[in-house]
Amino acid sequence: MRIRLLTFVMAIGWSCNALSQLPIQTLEKSIKPLYKMVDTSLQNNLEYELTKNKDWAQLIDSKKMAVGIVDLSNPEDIRFARVNGTHMMYAASLPKIAILLASMDAIEKGELNETIEVKKDMRLMISKSDNAASTRMIDRLGYDKIEEVMTDSKYAFYDEETGGGLWVGKRYGGGGDTHREPLKNLSHAASVSQVCRFYYLLAHGKLVNERRSKQMLDIMENPELHHKFVNTLDQIAPNARLFRKSGSWKTYHSDSVLVWGKDPERRYILVALIDDANGEQIIRDLVKPVEKVLKKPVL
């Protein structure tokens, strides 16, 4: 009897510990396509909270504001909601996550040597959004490689039939050839649904493989730029782990973050794309209402 009880307690302990880790350790059958996890209650609450702000409502109606959230508080019951989810926009530096994934794919396949310089550039590209490091990574990979990974059926992060998605077709900082995406002729593009999918698969260790996903999480953790989402999260959740990539250019402002708090109730993905001169402040202001939505009881 004691042995059975000890085994049961150890199993419960392992389960709780596994659920607190990243990548999330869960049953393979639980990792469903994100679009199948759209939650009506979460969706309605998100739309209501966002459109209470008249300025935001106007931006949403004109497709100049897109927001996506994924509730990770219960790994066995993940919930997804989005506004203008498949609307692809210029996203400045946020699509550097596409370069990161393509780099890991190339390293895993032996197409790119994982040198000290490459590892340093991947970190600089994400944490500091360093344009020179990003351009060096683009030049090492080539546009065709980045497109190949984004359009790979394993990921489908860029899909013409669903509005496009993640794309990098221009060096950061000028110069060189361009390779723009076919739908809107954008050089650096994203949609919130595809970026949410990126983080969702990353959180489950499904980008390339678990080892490379862990490596990507390490690179994306502890961002060195503390603006937008991070500015607010530094204040309200200073102990939460943050995995993040943002971007800004002229009126285009974007941010994406995986928030992993010690309290499971503060574990979520948040993505925003804004085309407005006040976009940086809007993104800062989004965090609290989104957390309010996530904390509302499931109906």
Side-chain angles (χ1 to χ4, degrees), residues 174-224:
D177 296 334
T178 59
H179 181 59
R180 296 174 183 268
E181 55 82 30
L183 291 178
K184 295 185 176 181
N185 201 38
L186 296 174
S187 56
H188 307 122
S191 66
V192 296
S193 289
Q194 293 288 29
V195 179
C196 281
R197 288 185 61 247
F198 180 97
Y199 280 90
Y200 169 71
L201 292 172
L202 178 63
H204 284 88
K206 298 301 179 183
L207 293 188
V208 183
N209 54 41
E210 185 169 319
R211 178 190 170 207
R212 296 300 178 187
S213 290
K214 285 181 179 178
Q215 195 173 351
M216 292 174 69
L217 286 165
D218 288 342
I219 289 170
M220 297 184 74
E221 190 169 11
N222 298 323
E224 295 185 43

Side-chain angles (χ1 to χ4, degrees), residues 88-106:
M88 182 172 60
M89 297 170 63
Y90 181 78
S93 290
L94 190 157
K96 290 174 182 177
I97 60 176
I99 305 172
L100 180 62
L101 174 56
S103 300
M104 288 296 175
D105 183 88

Side-chain angles (χ1 to χ4, degrees), residues 26-137:
T26 189
L27 297 174
E28 189 71 28
K29 65 180 181 181
S30 297
I31 307 173
K32 300 174 183 177
L34 193 57
Y35 74 89
K36 291 187 177 181
M37 299 193 179
V38 173
D39 181 87
T40 302
S41 177
L42 187 67
Q43 182 70 37
N44 291 339
N45 289 335
L46 177 65
E47 291 176 6
Y48 173 76
E49 198 64 36
L50 294 181
T51 55
K52 281 198 309 185
N53 184 309
K54 292 181 180 180
D55 292 335
W56 296 3
Q58 187 173 3
L59 287 171
I60 289 168
D61 286 342
S62 60
K63 293 191 179 297
K64 291 189 174 184
M65 179 173 179
V67 179
I69 57 175
V70 183
D71 180 5
L72 300 174
S73 60
N74 180 359
E76 301 303 321
D77 185 25
I78 287 172
R79 302 185 300 151
F80 174 46
R82 68 280 183 260
V83 174
N84 287 330
T86 59
H87 180 66
M88 182 172 60
M89 297 170 63
Y90 181 78
S93 290
L94 190 157
K96 290 174 182 177
I97 60 176
I99 305 172
L100 180 62
L101 174 56
S103 300
M104 288 296 175
D105 183 88
I107 290 169
E108 186 67 20
K109 293 175 179 175
E111 300 166 354
L112 177 66
N113 292 326
E114 193 175 6
T115 63
I116 292 173
E117 291 77 13
V118 164
K119 289 191 284 188
K120 181 179 178 182
D121 278 348
M122 288 191 294
R123 173 65 184 175
L124 285 170
M125 173 178 71
I126 298 299
S127 183
K128 290 189 175 181
S129 202
D130 187 279
N131 283 340
S134 305
T135 294
R136 287 192 293 270
M137 292 308 302

